[in-house]
Amino acid sequence: MSFKIRTDPGGHTFVVDPGETVLAAALRQGIGLPYGCRDGKCGSCAGRLLAGRVEYPSGRTEALEGQPADTCLTCQAVPTSDLVLGVREVAGAAQIEVKTLPCRVVKKERLSHDVMRLYLKLPENQRLQFLAGQYVDFILRDGRRRAFSIANAPHDDMEIELHVRHIPGGEFTQYVFEGMPEKTILRIQGPLGTFVLDEGSSRPIIMMGGGTGFAPLKGMIEHAIHIGLDRPIWLYWGVRSRRDIYLHALPERWADRYPSLRFTPVLSEPDPDWSGRRGLVHEAVVEDHPDLSGFDVYMSGPPAMVEAARTAFEDGGLPRDRMFSDAFEYARDEKRPGTSDRPDDAQESPAD
């Protein structure tokens, strides 16, 4: 039987069909619930089950580990009763049409030893409307998907910019680096995801990226600059060594031009002559901001980084509903039409 879901505090109601997940039903009916990997791993979709019962027939519930008993992973939860769901809604993302379109790779640019920038061009009569921080899926010939964050801001949408990290043995990224010529035609679906700026907030912002998790943060910052967002922004970027900081001059230029924006690179395996911050990037954030209660925090990168940061930031007084995350996850190889596998910082499973 079908069940009715009510969101709190939004007050929206929608119906979940038999066997359907809460998230799938919400998206089908235009309710903008947050989500990321849609695979039970990243926790971006988590809400609080204020009333009612759910089950998890898929068994994919890694993100529930260590969470309060009332945590509900909407991307995997199937209701067994009517529900009241405590969740932050993302209205803007839900109002944008998701399209499946062909695109042409108009430029490839090597940004570092293992990161390639792709510029994609849509057909002349098409434009992809998106919000800063969202992502697109490449739809491969056999139906598998590979997801990459959009690295440019919505106002600069003549082309779509992606940052692709090369993974040895990864079929798709190997193709991007070694076999794919410019002018190649690919198929994408997007925009997807609810990792977007809360422009209605007045709180200062901390952005924390790991590896190519810099990509969606780049789009967000360029959007914030474009609209004249009058809020301090601290950008922390965690990588292994100096050579992993690609496009390093760009955030340095932002920090020089905009006094309200500060940039801190953090190396976990620093070069011998590195004089900057060392260690784990979330630890640098906590060291600089021991009281996080007054911030909004945006995190993008590997799940381990995001999960460690959630715990540390909560200990620093940051409420969970002010933590916005895009935890990249390894892509699975199974065909699942209509769903998207979010990759981790590696962007693709080496098992491909």
Side-chain angles (χ1 to χ4, degrees), residues 87-145:
V87 66
R88 172 187 62 86
E89 296 183 46
V90 186
Q95 295 167 359
I96 297 178
E97 179 185 0
V98 176
K99 299 180 179 180
T100 301
L101 297 166
C103 64
R104 183 186 301 275
V105 179
V106 293
K107 185 179 179 181
K108 295 171 58 177
E109 181 183 1
R110 192 74 170 254
L111 297 179
S112 74
H113 65 106
D114 66 350
V115 176
M116 184 78 74
R117 175 156 57 180
L118 299 183
Y119 290 98
L120 309 179
K121 180 75 172 176
L122 300 179
E124 290 299 328
N125 60 343
Q126 295 285 351
R127 193 65 63 89
L128 187 71
Q129 181 186 11
F130 63 91
L131 300 178
Q134 290 189 290
Y135 67 92
V136 296
D137 272 353
F138 283 114
I139 304 177
L140 308 185
R141 290 182 180 179
D142 60 3
R144 289 178 299 159
R145 293 169 178 251

Side-chain angles (χ1 to χ4, degrees), residues 194-246:
T194 54
F195 183 61
V196 298
L197 274 175
D198 179 4
E199 296 179 28
S201 171
S202 60
R203 290 179 288 271
I205 296 169
I206 292 173
M207 293 189 177
M208 184 185 74
T212 49
F214 172 69
L217 302 182
K218 172 183 177 293
M220 287 182 174
I221 290 173
E222 290 176 341
H223 174 65
I225 291 171
H226 178 72
I227 65 173
L229 194 70
D230 187 22
R231 295 159 64 186
I233 298 176
W234 283 264
L235 171 63
Y236 292 82
W237 188 2
V239 296
R240 290 187 180 90
S241 62
R242 184 188 283 109
R243 70 174 187 163
D244 298 310
I245 308 175
Y246 63 90

Side-chain angles (χ1 to χ4, degrees), residues 36-37 135 147-149 216 326-331 340-344 347:
C37 69
Y135 67 92
F148 296 91
S149 297
D326 192 20
F328 295 0
E329 186 49 75
Y330 280 108
S340 177
D341 293 314
R342 198 76 178 96
D344 77 345
Q347 302 284 359

Side-chain angles (χ1 to χ4, degrees), residues 2 36 160 172 179 200:
S2 299
I160 299 170
F172 183 71

Side-chain angles (χ1 to χ4, degrees), residues 40-43 45-47 54-56 59-74 76-77 307:
K41 289 191 173 185
C42 75
C45 70
V54 300
E55 61 184 12
Y56 296 96
R60 294 174 178 166
T61 59
E62 292 96 323
L64 285 177
E65 296 177 7
Q67 301 307 313
D70 64 354
T71 301
C72 176
L73 291 182
T74 64
Q76 302 298 313
E307 193 52 43

